Amino acid sequence: MPKLRGEAFWRETLRSAHYVVAPMVDQSELAWRLLSRRHGAQLCYTPMLHAQVFLRDANYRRENLYGEACPEDRPLIVQFCANDPEVFVQAALLAQDYCDAIDLNLGCPQMIAKRGHYGAFLQEEWDLLQRMILLANEKLSVPITCKIRVFPEIAKTVKYAQMLEKAGCQLLTVHGRTKEQKGPLAGVASWEHIQAVRKAVSIPVFANGNIQCLSDVEECIRKTGVHGVMSAEGNLHNPALFEGRNPLVWEMAEEYLEIVQKYPCPLSYVRAHLFKLWHHTLQVYQQLREELAKVKTLEGIVDVNRELKLRCQEEIANQKEGEKPKEGLPFFHWICQPYVRPGPKERCEENGDSGTEKGVRGKRALEEEEDGNSELLSKNKQKKKLRNPNKSFDPSLKPKYAKCDQCGNPKGNKCVFNMCRGCCKKRAFKETADCPGHGLLFKTKYEKSLSWQSSQRVIQTPEISRRGDVDVGETVRKEAGDS
C-alpha cells in the first residue's frame, strides 16, 4: 500500500488524534499507555529509544518494543534518538512493523543528550537532519515524524520547521520552549512560536507545553490552530486529564497496578509513576514516601497504596464542613491535580534560603547538624546512624588533617614532600625521587633499570669476542684447505 502522508496520515492512520501522550523516558511504557488510553488519550508514543542500542541489542528490542506488542496500544509512534542517518534508519526498519510511525527526537534538552549528541543538541545541524529524514522517508514503509524545541527567534523556528517538512517529515510536534528552558528554568511555553509554525507548514502539527487540564488543551487548539495537543507532566500527575476528570489518586494507582500485573515493567517505573500520582499526598504523609522508596516488590507497592487509601479516607471522614484545600492547591491532596514546578527563587525559599546570595539554591544549614540530632540529619546520615548508633556527626569531633603544601588537600601522613598523593606523584616524577609514604619509587626503579642495562652489556661482550674468534679460525682453515 502507498505510504500515507501529511493530513491523510493524521486523519486515517492516527484517527484524527487530538489528545496525545508524550514520549517519556522510562515513563510512557505499555502499562501507562494503556491506562492513559482508557482515560481519553487517542495517541501514544513509546519512551525515547536509543537507535544504536536498539540496533545491536536484541534484549533491548524485546524489552522496549517487541515484548510489548498489544492490539489495544494503537495508534502508536516509536521515538528514537540518533545522530547517524544509517543507524537511525536501520533501527527504524527493525521497529516499523510494530508501530504506525517513527519519530526522531530533536527535543530532549537534558545533559545526557548533550553528551550523546542527540535531541535538541542537533537543532543547529540542519544538513545532518535533512540527510536523516530524507533517508528515513525513502527507506521506511511508515511515515517519519519529528519532535522539536523552538529557537528564541520565531523566524528561525519557522525556517527550521519548513526545512524538516521539505526533507520528508509528515507530522511535527513543537514544544514551545527552548533547549535552555528546563527544570526550575522551564518557564512558560510559547504558543506564539507554535502558532507561527502551524501557519507556515502544510503538515499536521501537535503542540506541547503548558498543558495541565482539559481546558488548557482546548485553549491551545483554539489559539494555535494545531491538530492535537501532547501532554507529559500533566498526564503523569493526572492520567484522566484528557477526560476532563480529577479522580482520586488511589483509584488511578489501583487501576495502574492491575495493568502492571498483566503487562509487567521494571519496579523503578512503577515507583516513579506513583511518586508523581501521589505527589501532593506524600507531602502530608512523609512516612509513606519512605515506605514507597524502600519497597522492593509489586505486592509491597500495592500494600502502600492500600495504606495511603485508608489514611486519606480517614482524613475525609474527619473533614470539617467548609474546609478548603491547603497550600494553595485547587483540590484536596488526595485528588489528581497538576503540579507546578517552582522557579529558581521559589526553590531557594523552599530550601530555607532567600536565593539572593550568588543565586545559589539554598541548602540545610550546617549548624543544624552540629549537635548530631537525628531529626536534623540528612537521610544518608540517618541511615549511617542506624547502622552505627555510636557514630557522631559533630564537626568539632572530626579529625583535623594537615594540608598539602601545594594544593590544600589533606596531605599524606608519611609523605616526604608534605603533599597529597597527586602533587607528590608529580614532584617525585619530575625529580626522579622516592616517596615510600605514598608507595612511589621512581628513583629506585630508575636505578634498577640502569643496573639491568649495565649487566646486559657485560653479558653481550664475551659472546661477541667468542663469535669473532670462531670466524677467524674458520677462515684460516679454509685458506689452508684451498692451498
Side-chain angles (χ1 to χ4, degrees):
M1 292 179 62
K3 183 164 55 177
L4 295 177
R5 300 177 181 276
E7 291 275 350
F9 159 63
W10 172 73
R11 191 170 51 253
E12 297 182 33
T13 304
L14 302 185
R15 306 168 196 168
S16 302
H18 296 296
Y19 305 147
V20 186
V21 175
M24 298 173 283
V25 177
D26 297 344
Q27 293 284 267
S28 56
E29 82 287 354
L30 176 61
W32 189 260
R33 298 198 299 265
L34 293 178
L35 177 70
S36 300
R37 289 180 192 275
R38 287 184 185 181
H39 295 282
Q42 299 166 335
L43 169 66
C44 292
Y45 284 63
T46 66
M48 181 191 75
L49 305 178
H50 198 294
Q52 182 75 58
V53 181
F54 192 88
L55 184 58
R56 71 167 185 257
D57 192 334
N59 289 331
Y60 185 80
R61 295 195 291 270
R62 184 179 65 254
E63 291 167 3
N64 291 281
L65 186 62
Y66 293 179
E68 292 191 344
C70 176
E72 306 142 89
D73 190 33
R74 301 297 280 267
L76 177 69
I77 295 179
V78 172
Q79 188 187 71
F80 284 109
C81 67
N83 54 25
D84 181 282
E86 286 294 337
V87 170
F88 173 54
V89 170
Q90 290 303 315
L93 286 169
L94 293 174
Q96 64 180 359
D97 293 339
Y98 297 82
C99 62
D100 299 288
I102 298 294
D103 187 78
L104 177 60
N105 183 330
L106 301 176
C108 181
Q110 303 304 325
M111 186 55 65
I112 191 171
K114 184 175 183 179
R115 288 196 295 265
H117 191 53
Y118 58 78
F121 298 93
L122 294 178
Q123 66 178 11
E124 297 285 359
E125 301 186 35
W126 291 15
D127 289 341
L128 171 62
L129 297 181
Q130 281 181 316
R131 284 188 282 118
M132 292 177 75
I133 296 166
L134 281 168
L135 187 62
N137 191 42
E138 176 189 344
K139 299 289 185 182
L140 299 180
S141 61
V142 296
I144 176 73
T145 69
C146 296
K147 184 173 186 291
I148 66 171
R149 284 197 168 222
V150 300
F151 290 95
E153 308 85 6
I154 290 180
K156 187 173 182 179
T157 304
V158 167
K159 287 182 180 179
Y160 182 41
Q162 290 173 330
M163 178 274 293
L164 296 172
E165 178 188 20
K166 187 176 180 181
C169 175
Q170 303 303 319
L171 183 147
L172 200 58
T173 300
V174 184
H175 187 156
R177 295 183 175 94
T178 65
K179 70 175 185 292
E180 290 76 26
Q181 288 180 274
K182 58 184 179 180
L185 303 177
V188 178
S190 170
W191 285 358
E192 290 76 17
H193 283 70
I194 299 173
Q195 182 186 39
V197 170
R198 171 68 189 99
K199 290 179 178 178
V201 299
S202 59
I203 57 176
V205 175
F206 290 159
N208 185 207
N210 301 347
I211 305 302
Q212 296 183 342
C213 56
L214 186 59
S215 61
D216 292 337
V217 175
E218 294 165 348
E219 185 182 3
C220 182
I221 292 175
R222 180 174 56 81
K223 285 190 173 181
T224 62
V226 292
H227 294 72
V229 171
M230 177 182 285
S231 174
E233 287 279 332
N235 166 262
L236 290 175
H237 288 277
N238 180 13
L241 179 151
F242 292 126
E243 282 185 324
R245 290 197 310 118
N246 295 88
L248 298 167
V249 292
W250 65 80
E251 288 182 355
M252 287 290 97
E254 285 174 352
E255 189 174 354
Y256 172 63
L257 291 171
E258 287 175 5
I259 298 174
V260 171
Q261 288 174 343
K262 186 176 180 182
Y263 299 101
C265 65
L267 201 66
S268 60
Y269 296 8
V270 180
R271 186 183 286 110
H273 277 302
L274 296 189
F275 272 124
K276 294 282 188 182
L277 269 178
W278 299 344
H279 176 83
H280 299 292
T281 300
L282 293 178
Q283 308 305 310
V284 178
Y285 302 119
Q286 291 286 339
Q287 183 186 350
L288 293 181
R289 171 183 288 278
E290 299 295 328
E291 290 182 19
L292 178 58
K294 293 176 183 176
V295 70
K296 299 191 184 308
T297 64
L298 188 61
E299 292 73 22
I301 290 181
V302 171
D303 291 339
V304 176
N305 184 60
R306 190 179 298 114
E307 178 64 23
L308 179 138
K309 177 180 178 180
L310 290 173
R311 293 195 187 191
C312 289
Q313 287 177 334
E314 183 180 350
E315 188 176 341
I316 293 169
N318 296 328
Q319 193 175 357
K320 297 177 182 178
E321 188 176 349
E323 188 175 343
K324 294 183 179 180
K326 299 176 182 178
E327 304 296 332
L329 297 176
F331 305 104
F332 289 101
H333 64 80
W334 54 79
I335 294 174
C336 290
Q337 57 193 297
Y339 166 64
V340 180
R341 289 176 180 268
K345 186 175 180 181
E346 295 166 312
R347 183 71 62 87
C348 288
E349 290 171 353
E350 282 183 9
N351 285 274
D353 193 336
S354 64
T356 56
E357 184 177 346
K358 299 182 181 179
V360 178
R361 188 173 78 177
K363 294 186 178 181
R364 182 189 295 105
L366 288 175
E367 55 268 19
E368 290 180 357
E369 297 187 3
E370 284 187 357
D371 60 356
N373 188 339
S374 61
E375 292 181 1
L376 298 176
L377 295 176
S378 66
K379 291 178 182 177
N380 281 338
K381 289 183 178 178
Q382 288 181 37
K383 290 176 183 177
K384 291 178 181 177
K385 190 83 173 174
L386 285 173
R387 292 195 295 267
N388 184 4
N390 297 322
K391 188 172 181 64
S392 172
F393 294 97
D394 187 345
S396 63
L397 300 178
K398 289 184 178 179
K400 303 297 182 184
Y401 295 102
K403 293 183 178 180
C404 169
D405 293 345
Q406 192 72 23
C407 68
N409 286 326
K411 73 169 188 176
N413 291 332
K414 298 180 180 180
C415 179
V416 297
F417 299 117
N418 291 319
M419 293 180 173
C420 66
R421 192 176 196 282
C423 297
C424 175
K425 186 174 182 180
K426 291 176 184 176
R427 180 166 174 180
F429 177 78
K430 185 177 180 180
E431 298 181 6
T432 317
D434 287 348
C435 177
H438 279 126
L440 302 173
L441 305 173
F442 292 108
K443 181 180 178 182
T444 301
K445 290 179 179 178
Y446 178 67
E447 290 175 348
K448 283 185 178 179
S449 174
L450 291 178
S451 175
W452 181 82
Q453 291 177 8
S454 176
S455 65
Q456 288 296 102
R457 284 196 293 270
V458 171
I459 293 170
Q460 289 174 3
T461 303
E463 291 181 353
I464 293 170
S465 61
R466 184 168 54 83
R467 283 199 300 269
D469 293 345
V470 171
D471 292 341
V472 171
E474 287 181 352
T475 303
V476 171
R477 282 195 295 275
K478 284 182 179 179
E479 289 177 352
D482 291 341
S483 62

